[in-house]
Amino acid sequence: MSELWVKISVTPLLFLLCWQDLRERQLEAAYLCLLALCGPGAVVLAEEADTVQLLSLLPGLLLLAVSVLSGEALGEGDALLFLALGFSLEMPGLLRLCTESFLLAGIGGLAVWVRFRGTEEQIGKLRMPFLLFLTAAWCLELFI
């Protein structure tokens, strides 16, 4: 029940956040808070007190530290998104989602590099919304 609840509640929020990231290039804090509440909601519905583990918050905290230390080379909103997902997903699923989304982003970055090869100045200024790749990885997880 709790896994189904997470899938049902997280999926529309991810699509909404992805659309917002593509249009406005920032994430609404209220939607991130709703996403963070999906995990505790699953615990209440399933009456499983051990579902949400503090260990699952580590990837989000690590990405948040990378974002701050790198001057937001990785967007702060993306790091906060992984922190919010840490409340809903257990560590193996979160790490798999993180790995898949970074792999898809790398493939997307390579495709952009091949497309704009010879105009390195344009590539350096290009902003790729990471949430698009995260949502794609989430969809892969849902259907595979």
Side-chain angles (χ1 to χ4, degrees):
M1 172 68 174
S2 64
E3 185 178 329
L4 180 61
W5 165 258
V6 169
K7 288 179 180 180
I8 290 172
S9 59
V10 168
T11 302
L13 284 171
L14 274 180
F15 277 103
L16 182 66
L17 284 165
C18 182
W19 177 253
Q20 186 179 37
D21 192 27
L22 288 170
R23 286 185 50 223
E24 300 172 16
R25 297 184 180 209
Q26 63 182 10
L27 303 177
E28 186 72 37
Y31 296 138
L32 287 172
C33 291
L34 279 174
L35 189 64
L37 290 174
C38 290
V43 170
V44 170
L45 286 176
E47 298 176 1
E48 297 174 4
D50 61 342
T51 301
V52 179
Q53 302 169 352
L54 290 177
L55 192 59
S56 295
L57 300 177
L58 286 178
L61 291 172
L62 178 66
L63 290 173
L64 190 58
V66 167
S67 173
V68 170
L69 293 174
S70 68
E72 278 204 56
L74 172 72
E76 189 175 313
D78 297 327
L80 289 173
L81 181 72
F82 270 104
L83 189 60
L85 284 171
F87 284 105
S88 301
L89 302 175
E90 293 181 2
M91 183 63 117
L94 186 63
L95 289 178
R96 192 172 51 250
L97 184 66
C98 187
T99 303
E100 289 171 359
S101 56
F102 277 110
L103 180 66
L104 289 173
I107 292 169
L110 184 62
V112 167
W113 179 78
V114 167
R115 167 68 175 92
F116 293 107
R117 194 177 28 204
T119 57
E120 281 76 19
E121 296 155 5
Q122 288 179 345
I123 294 174
K125 296 177 184 176
L126 186 65
R127 180 192 172 274
M128 290 179 47
F130 179 71
L131 194 49
L132 178 67
F133 302 106
L134 179 81
T135 305
W138 177 262
C139 289
L140 283 174
E141 283 292 315
L142 285 178
F143 297 114
I144 292 179

PDB file of all heavy atoms in Angstrom, residues 79-112:
ATOM      1  N   ALA A  79      18.798  19.776  -5.681  1.00  0.00           N
ATOM      2  CA  ALA A  79      19.271  19.129  -4.454  1.00  0.00           C
ATOM      3  C   ALA A  79      18.142  19.026  -3.430  1.00  0.00           C
ATOM      4  O   ALA A  79      17.974  17.992  -2.778  1.00  0.00           O
ATOM      5  CB  ALA A  79      20.448  19.907  -3.875  1.00  0.00           C
ATOM      6  N   LEU A  80      17.348  20.088  -3.300  1.00  0.00           N
ATOM      7  CA  LEU A  80      16.213  20.050  -2.377  1.00  0.00           C
ATOM      8  C   LEU A  80      15.175  19.029  -2.824  1.00  0.00           C
ATOM      9  O   LEU A  80      14.503  18.408  -1.992  1.00  0.00           O
ATOM     10  CB  LEU A  80      15.587  21.444  -2.260  1.00  0.00           C
ATOM     11  CG  LEU A  80      16.415  22.475  -1.500  1.00  0.00           C
ATOM     12  CD1 LEU A  80      15.778  23.851  -1.608  1.00  0.00           C
ATOM     13  CD2 LEU A  80      16.593  22.072  -0.048  1.00  0.00           C
ATOM     14  N   LEU A  81      15.060  18.838  -4.121  1.00  0.00           N
ATOM     15  CA  LEU A  81      14.142  17.831  -4.643  1.00  0.00           C
ATOM     16  C   LEU A  81      14.571  16.435  -4.202  1.00  0.00           C
ATOM     17  O   LEU A  81      13.750  15.627  -3.764  1.00  0.00           O
ATOM     18  CB  LEU A  81      14.081  17.908  -6.170  1.00  0.00           C
ATOM     19  CG  LEU A  81      13.146  16.917  -6.823  1.00  0.00           C
ATOM     20  CD1 LEU A  81      11.699  17.309  -6.562  1.00  0.00           C
ATOM     21  CD2 LEU A  81      13.403  16.840  -8.295  1.00  0.00           C
ATOM     22  N   PHE A  82      15.863  16.131  -4.289  1.00  0.00           N
ATOM     23  CA  PHE A  82      16.348  14.828  -3.829  1.00  0.00           C
ATOM     24  C   PHE A  82      16.180  14.686  -2.324  1.00  0.00           C
ATOM     25  O   PHE A  82      15.905  13.594  -1.823  1.00  0.00           O
ATOM     26  CB  PHE A  82      17.815  14.616  -4.227  1.00  0.00           C
ATOM     27  CG  PHE A  82      17.963  13.965  -5.559  1.00  0.00           C
ATOM     28  CD1 PHE A  82      18.342  14.708  -6.666  1.00  0.00           C
ATOM     29  CD2 PHE A  82      17.725  12.617  -5.727  1.00  0.00           C
ATOM     30  CE1 PHE A  82      18.470  14.113  -7.906  1.00  0.00           C
ATOM     31  CE2 PHE A  82      17.849  12.013  -6.961  1.00  0.00           C
ATOM     32  CZ  PHE A  82      18.221  12.769  -8.049  1.00  0.00           C
ATOM     33  N   LEU A  83      16.325  15.779  -1.596  1.00  0.00           N
ATOM     34  CA  LEU A  83      16.097  15.742  -0.157  1.00  0.00           C
ATOM     35  C   LEU A  83      14.628  15.412   0.122  1.00  0.00           C
ATOM     36  O   LEU A  83      14.321  14.577   0.978  1.00  0.00           O
ATOM     37  CB  LEU A  83      16.480  17.090   0.468  1.00  0.00           C
ATOM     38  CG  LEU A  83      16.501  17.158   1.979  1.00  0.00           C
ATOM     39  CD1 LEU A  83      17.499  16.162   2.557  1.00  0.00           C
ATOM     40  CD2 LEU A  83      16.860  18.565   2.434  1.00  0.00           C
ATOM     41  N   ALA A  84      13.713  16.035  -0.609  1.00  0.00           N
ATOM     42  CA  ALA A  84      12.281  15.754  -0.445  1.00  0.00           C
ATOM     43  C   ALA A  84      11.959  14.313  -0.834  1.00  0.00           C
ATOM     44  O   ALA A  84      11.158  13.649  -0.165  1.00  0.00           O
ATOM     45  CB  ALA A  84      11.452  16.736  -1.272  1.00  0.00           C
ATOM     46  N   LEU A  85      12.587  13.822  -1.901  1.00  0.00           N
ATOM     47  CA  LEU A  85      12.348  12.433  -2.308  1.00  0.00           C
ATOM     48  C   LEU A  85      12.884  11.443  -1.279  1.00  0.00           C
ATOM     49  O   LEU A  85      12.400  10.314  -1.187  1.00  0.00           O
ATOM     50  CB  LEU A  85      12.984  12.161  -3.670  1.00  0.00           C
ATOM     51  CG  LEU A  85      12.235  12.718  -4.870  1.00  0.00           C
ATOM     52  CD1 LEU A  85      13.083  12.575  -6.135  1.00  0.00           C
ATOM     53  CD2 LEU A  85      10.901  12.033  -5.050  1.00  0.00           C
ATOM     54  N   GLY A  86      13.882  11.864  -0.505  1.00  0.00           N
ATOM     55  CA  GLY A  86      14.428  11.008   0.545  1.00  0.00           C
ATOM     56  C   GLY A  86      13.408  10.652   1.608  1.00  0.00           C
ATOM     57  O   GLY A  86      13.519   9.624   2.277  1.00  0.00           O
ATOM     58  N   PHE A  87      12.386  11.504   1.778  1.00  0.00           N
ATOM     59  CA  PHE A  87      11.325  11.188   2.721  1.00  0.00           C
ATOM     60  C   PHE A  87      10.394  10.106   2.178  1.00  0.00           C
ATOM     61  O   PHE A  87       9.713   9.433   2.934  1.00  0.00           O
ATOM     62  CB  PHE A  87      10.489  12.444   3.033  1.00  0.00           C
ATOM     63  CG  PHE A  87      11.167  13.408   3.952  1.00  0.00           C
ATOM     64  CD1 PHE A  87      11.704  14.585   3.459  1.00  0.00           C
ATOM     65  CD2 PHE A  87      11.265  13.146   5.305  1.00  0.00           C
ATOM     66  CE1 PHE A  87      12.324  15.487   4.304  1.00  0.00           C
ATOM     67  CE2 PHE A  87      11.886  14.041   6.158  1.00  0.00           C
ATOM     68  CZ  PHE A  87      12.411  15.213   5.659  1.00  0.00           C
ATOM     69  N   SER A  88      10.344   9.963   0.865  1.00  0.00           N
ATOM     70  CA  SER A  88       9.384   9.046   0.239  1.00  0.00           C
ATOM     71  C   SER A  88       9.995   7.722  -0.193  1.00  0.00           C
ATOM     72  O   SER A  88       9.299   6.720  -0.246  1.00  0.00           O
ATOM     73  CB  SER A  88       8.757   9.708  -0.997  1.00  0.00           C
ATOM     74  OG  SER A  88       8.103  10.882  -0.641  1.00  0.00           O
ATOM     75  N   LEU A  89      11.252   7.730  -0.552  1.00  0.00           N
ATOM     76  CA  LEU A  89      11.878   6.530  -1.096  1.00  0.00           C
ATOM     77  C   LEU A  89      12.911   5.974  -0.125  1.00  0.00           C
ATOM     78  O   LEU A  89      13.555   6.721   0.602  1.00  0.00           O
ATOM     79  CB  LEU A  89      12.571   6.856  -2.426  1.00  0.00           C
ATOM     80  CG  LEU A  89      11.686   7.437  -3.525  1.00  0.00           C
ATOM     81  CD1 LEU A  89      12.543   7.825  -4.712  1.00  0.00           C
ATOM     82  CD2 LEU A  89      10.627   6.443  -3.933  1.00  0.00           C
ATOM     83  N   GLU A  90      13.076   4.689  -0.167  1.00  0.00           N
ATOM     84  CA  GLU A  90      14.135   4.079   0.623  1.00  0.00           C
ATOM     85  C   GLU A  90      15.459   4.244  -0.116  1.00  0.00           C
ATOM     86  O   GLU A  90      15.483   4.508  -1.318  1.00  0.00           O
ATOM     87  CB  GLU A  90      13.814   2.613   0.889  1.00  0.00           C
ATOM     88  CG  GLU A  90      12.602   2.450   1.788  1.00  0.00           C
ATOM     89  CD  GLU A  90      12.275   1.006   2.081  1.00  0.00           C
ATOM     90  OE1 GLU A  90      13.013   0.107   1.615  1.00  0.00           O
ATOM     91  OE2 GLU A  90      11.268   0.779   2.764  1.00  0.00           O
ATOM     92  N   MET A  91      16.553   4.076   0.583  1.00  0.00           N
ATOM     93  CA  MET A  91      17.885   4.367   0.059  1.00  0.00           C
ATOM     94  C   MET A  91      18.189   3.671  -1.273  1.00  0.00           C
ATOM     95  O   MET A  91      18.641   4.338  -2.207  1.00  0.00           O
ATOM     96  CB  MET A  91      18.945   4.029   1.096  1.00  0.00           C
ATOM     97  CG  MET A  91      20.338   4.379   0.645  1.00  0.00           C
ATOM     98  SD  MET A  91      20.533   6.137   0.376  1.00  0.00           S
ATOM     99  CE  MET A  91      21.732   6.502   1.599  1.00  0.00           C
ATOM    100  N   PRO A  92      17.950   2.367  -1.448  1.00  0.00           N
ATOM    101  CA  PRO A  92      18.288   1.742  -2.742  1.00  0.00           C
ATOM    102  C   PRO A  92      17.528   2.359  -3.914  1.00  0.00           C
ATOM    103  O   PRO A  92      18.098   2.616  -4.972  1.00  0.00           O
ATOM    104  CB  PRO A  92      17.910   0.273  -2.554  1.00  0.00           C
ATOM    105  CG  PRO A  92      17.903   0.044  -1.091  1.00  0.00           C
ATOM    106  CD  PRO A  92      17.496   1.353  -0.480  1.00  0.00           C
ATOM    107  N   GLY A  93      16.242   2.605  -3.738  1.00  0.00           N
ATOM    108  CA  GLY A  93      15.448   3.207  -4.806  1.00  0.00           C
ATOM    109  C   GLY A  93      15.878   4.630  -5.109  1.00  0.00           C
ATOM    110  O   GLY A  93      15.920   5.047  -6.268  1.00  0.00           O
ATOM    111  N   LEU A  94      16.236   5.380  -4.069  1.00  0.00           N
ATOM    112  CA  LEU A  94      16.682   6.754  -4.264  1.00  0.00           C
ATOM    113  C   LEU A  94      18.030   6.802  -4.987  1.00  0.00           C
ATOM    114  O   LEU A  94      18.226   7.606  -5.899  1.00  0.00           O
ATOM    115  CB  LEU A  94      16.784   7.474  -2.921  1.00  0.00           C
ATOM    116  CG  LEU A  94      17.089   8.955  -2.971  1.00  0.00           C
ATOM    117  CD1 LEU A  94      15.963   9.703  -3.668  1.00  0.00           C
ATOM    118  CD2 LEU A  94      17.293   9.508  -1.582  1.00  0.00           C
ATOM    119  N   LEU A  95      18.944   5.921  -4.603  1.00  0.00           N
ATOM    120  CA  LEU A  95      20.247   5.875  -5.285  1.00  0.00           C
ATOM    121  C   LEU A  95      20.103   5.431  -6.740  1.00  0.00           C
ATOM    122  O   LEU A  95      20.790   5.953  -7.622  1.00  0.00           O
ATOM    123  CB  LEU A  95      21.207   4.956  -4.540  1.00  0.00           C
ATOM    124  CG  LEU A  95      21.710   5.482  -3.200  1.00  0.00           C
ATOM    125  CD1 LEU A  95      22.605   4.454  -2.531  1.00  0.00           C
ATOM    126  CD2 LEU A  95      22.428   6.801  -3.361  1.00  0.00           C
ATOM    127  N   ARG A  96      19.204   4.479  -6.993  1.00  0.00           N
ATOM    128  CA  ARG A  96      18.957   4.037  -8.367  1.00  0.00           C
ATOM    129  C   ARG A  96      18.376   5.183  -9.194  1.00  0.00           C
ATOM    130  O   ARG A  96      18.799   5.441 -10.321  1.00  0.00           O
ATOM    131  CB  ARG A  96      18.025   2.822  -8.363  1.00  0.00           C
ATOM    132  CG  ARG A  96      17.916   2.116  -9.674  1.00  0.00           C
ATOM    133  CD  ARG A  96      17.136   0.809  -9.591  1.00  0.00           C
ATOM    134  NE  ARG A  96      15.847   0.928  -8.943  1.00  0.00           N
ATOM    135  CZ  ARG A  96      15.555   0.411  -7.730  1.00  0.00           C
ATOM    136  NH1 ARG A  96      16.464  -0.270  -7.068  1.00  0.00           N
ATOM    137  NH2 ARG A  96      14.351   0.565  -7.211  1.00  0.00           N
ATOM    138  N   LEU A  97      17.426   5.924  -8.618  1.00  0.00           N
ATOM    139  CA  LEU A  97      16.833   7.071  -9.300  1.00  0.00           C
ATOM    140  C   LEU A  97      17.872   8.153  -9.562  1.00  0.00           C
ATOM    141  O   LEU A  97      17.926   8.730 -10.651  1.00  0.00           O
ATOM    142  CB  LEU A  97      15.677   7.636  -8.468  1.00  0.00           C
ATOM    143  CG  LEU A  97      14.897   8.781  -9.082  1.00  0.00           C
ATOM    144  CD1 LEU A  97      14.152   8.308 -10.326  1.00  0.00           C
ATOM    145  CD2 LEU A  97      13.933   9.356  -8.065  1.00  0.00           C
ATOM    146  N   CYS A  98      18.721   8.392  -8.588  1.00  0.00           N
ATOM    147  CA  CYS A  98      19.788   9.398  -8.736  1.00  0.00           C
ATOM    148  C   CYS A  98      20.755   8.990  -9.844  1.00  0.00           C
ATOM    149  O   CYS A  98      21.102   9.805 -10.709  1.00  0.00           O
ATOM    150  CB  CYS A  98      20.514   9.545  -7.399  1.00  0.00           C
ATOM    151  SG  CYS A  98      21.718  10.867  -7.323  1.00  0.00           S
ATOM    152  N   THR A  99      21.170   7.736  -9.845  1.00  0.00           N
ATOM    153  CA  THR A  99      22.099   7.243 -10.857  1.00  0.00           C
ATOM    154  C   THR A  99      21.487   7.302 -12.251  1.00  0.00           C
ATOM    155  O   THR A  99      22.131   7.769 -13.200  1.00  0.00           O
ATOM    156  CB  THR A  99      22.516   5.792 -10.526  1.00  0.00           C
ATOM    157  OG1 THR A  99      23.081   5.750  -9.227  1.00  0.00           O
ATOM    158  CG2 THR A  99      23.510   5.269 -11.542  1.00  0.00           C
ATOM    159  N   GLU A 100      20.249   6.854 -12.371  1.00  0.00           N
ATOM    160  CA  GLU A 100      19.585   6.868 -13.683  1.00  0.00           C
ATOM    161  C   GLU A 100      19.402   8.288 -14.197  1.00  0.00           C
ATOM    162  O   GLU A 100      19.596   8.560 -15.382  1.00  0.00           O
ATOM    163  CB  GLU A 100      18.227   6.172 -13.597  1.00  0.00           C
ATOM    164  CG  GLU A 100      18.328   4.677 -13.421  1.00  0.00           C
ATOM    165  CD  GLU A 100      16.994   4.035 -13.116  1.00  0.00           C
ATOM    166  OE1 GLU A 100      15.973   4.759 -13.017  1.00  0.00           O
ATOM    167  OE2 GLU A 100      16.955   2.801 -12.976  1.00  0.00           O
ATOM    168  N   SER A 101      19.022   9.217 -13.323  1.00  0.00           N
ATOM    169  CA  SER A 101      18.792  10.588 -13.779  1.00  0.00           C
ATOM    170  C   SER A 101      20.098  11.265 -14.184  1.00  0.00           C
ATOM    171  O   SER A 101      20.137  11.997 -15.175  1.00  0.00           O
ATOM    172  CB  SER A 101      18.050  11.404 -12.724  1.00  0.00           C
ATOM    173  OG  SER A 101      18.717  11.404 -11.497  1.00  0.00           O
ATOM    174  N   PHE A 102      21.188  11.006 -13.444  1.00  0.00           N
ATOM    175  CA  PHE A 102      22.483  11.570 -13.847  1.00  0.00           C
ATOM    176  C   PHE A 102      22.978  10.939 -15.143  1.00  0.00           C
ATOM    177  O   PHE A 102      23.585  11.619 -15.976  1.00  0.00           O
ATOM    178  CB  PHE A 102      23.531  11.419 -12.735  1.00  0.00           C
ATOM    179  CG  PHE A 102      23.447  12.488 -11.696  1.00  0.00           C
ATOM    180  CD1 PHE A 102      23.007  12.204 -10.421  1.00  0.00           C
ATOM    181  CD2 PHE A 102      23.793  13.796 -11.994  1.00  0.00           C
ATOM    182  CE1 PHE A 102      22.928  13.189  -9.454  1.00  0.00           C
ATOM    183  CE2 PHE A 102      23.711  14.792 -11.042  1.00  0.00           C
ATOM    184  CZ  PHE A 102      23.272  14.490  -9.759  1.00  0.00           C
ATOM    185  N   LEU A 103      22.712   9.643 -15.343  1.00  0.00           N
ATOM    186  CA  LEU A 103      23.084   8.981 -16.589  1.00  0.00           C
ATOM    187  C   LEU A 103      22.314   9.575 -17.764  1.00  0.00           C
ATOM    188  O   LEU A 103      22.896   9.881 -18.815  1.00  0.00           O
ATOM    189  CB  LEU A 103      22.830   7.476 -16.480  1.00  0.00           C
ATOM    190  CG  LEU A 103      23.167   6.640 -17.703  1.00  0.00           C
ATOM    191  CD1 LEU A 103      24.671   6.657 -17.960  1.00  0.00           C
ATOM    192  CD2 LEU A 103      22.701   5.217 -17.515  1.00  0.00           C
ATOM    193  N   LEU A 104      21.009   9.771 -17.591  1.00  0.00           N
ATOM    194  CA  LEU A 104      20.202  10.387 -18.655  1.00  0.00           C
ATOM    195  C   LEU A 104      20.647  11.824 -18.920  1.00  0.00           C
ATOM    196  O   LEU A 104      20.689  12.264 -20.079  1.00  0.00           O
ATOM    197  CB  LEU A 104      18.719  10.350 -18.281  1.00  0.00           C
ATOM    198  CG  LEU A 104      18.058   8.979 -18.308  1.00  0.00           C
ATOM    199  CD1 LEU A 104      16.636   9.061 -17.754  1.00  0.00           C
ATOM    200  CD2 LEU A 104      18.058   8.394 -19.706  1.00  0.00           C
ATOM    201  N   ALA A 105      20.993  12.558 -17.870  1.00  0.00           N
ATOM    202  CA  ALA A 105      21.480  13.929 -18.052  1.00  0.00           C
ATOM    203  C   ALA A 105      22.812  13.932 -18.796  1.00  0.00           C
ATOM    204  O   ALA A 105      23.061  14.801 -19.642  1.00  0.00           O
ATOM    205  CB  ALA A 105      21.629  14.627 -16.702  1.00  0.00           C
ATOM    206  N   GLY A 106      23.660  12.940 -18.515  1.00  0.00           N
ATOM    207  CA  GLY A 106      24.927  12.832 -19.235  1.00  0.00           C
ATOM    208  C   GLY A 106      24.715  12.534 -20.712  1.00  0.00           C
ATOM    209  O   GLY A 106      25.385  13.101 -21.581  1.00  0.00           O
ATOM    210  N   ILE A 107      23.769  11.662 -21.008  1.00  0.00           N
ATOM    211  CA  ILE A 107      23.443  11.360 -22.407  1.00  0.00           C
ATOM    212  C   ILE A 107      22.884  12.604 -23.087  1.00  0.00           C
ATOM    213  O   ILE A 107      23.242  12.929 -24.225  1.00  0.00           O
ATOM    214  CB  ILE A 107      22.457  10.175 -22.493  1.00  0.00           C
ATOM    215  CG1 ILE A 107      23.152   8.891 -22.033  1.00  0.00           C
ATOM    216  CG2 ILE A 107      21.906  10.013 -23.901  1.00  0.00           C
ATOM    217  CD1 ILE A 107      22.208   7.721 -21.827  1.00  0.00           C
ATOM    218  N   GLY A 108      22.014  13.331 -22.380  1.00  0.00           N
ATOM    219  CA  GLY A 108      21.471  14.576 -22.923  1.00  0.00           C
ATOM    220  C   GLY A 108      22.559  15.620 -23.148  1.00  0.00           C
ATOM    221  O   GLY A 108      22.561  16.316 -24.170  1.00  0.00           O
ATOM    222  N   GLY A 109      23.480  15.722 -22.203  1.00  0.00           N
ATOM    223  CA  GLY A 109      24.600  16.660 -22.352  1.00  0.00           C
ATOM    224  C   GLY A 109      25.488  16.297 -23.525  1.00  0.00           C
ATOM    225  O   GLY A 109      25.960  17.165 -24.262  1.00  0.00           O
ATOM    226  N   LEU A 110      25.723  15.006 -23.710  1.00  0.00           N
ATOM    227  CA  LEU A 110      26.520  14.552 -24.852  1.00  0.00           C
ATOM    228  C   LEU A 110      25.825  14.876 -26.165  1.00  0.00           C
ATOM    229  O   LEU A 110      26.452  15.328 -27.123  1.00  0.00           O
ATOM    230  CB  LEU A 110      26.777  13.047 -24.735  1.00  0.00           C
ATOM    231  CG  LEU A 110      27.671  12.425 -25.800  1.00  0.00           C
ATOM    232  CD1 LEU A 110      29.069  13.030 -25.748  1.00  0.00           C
ATOM    233  CD2 LEU A 110      27.742  10.925 -25.608  1.00  0.00           C
ATOM    234  N   ALA A 111      24.505  14.686 -26.203  1.00  0.00           N
ATOM    235  CA  ALA A 111      23.742  15.006 -27.412  1.00  0.00           C
ATOM    236  C   ALA A 111      23.811  16.501 -27.719  1.00  0.00           C
ATOM    237  O   ALA A 111      23.965  16.902 -28.881  1.00  0.00           O
ATOM    238  CB  ALA A 111      22.287  14.569 -27.250  1.00  0.00           C
ATOM    239  N   VAL A 112      23.740  17.330 -26.694  1.00  0.00           N
ATOM    240  CA  VAL A 112      23.849  18.788 -26.885  1.00  0.00           C
ATOM    241  C   VAL A 112      25.244  19.144 -27.376  1.00  0.00           C
ATOM    242  O   VAL A 112      25.415  19.969 -28.272  1.00  0.00           O
ATOM    243  CB  VAL A 112      23.510  19.533 -25.574  1.00  0.00           C
ATOM    244  CG1 VAL A 112      23.918  20.994 -25.645  1.00  0.00           C
ATOM    245  CG2 VAL A 112      22.033  19.410 -25.273  1.00  0.00           C
TER     246      VAL A 112
END
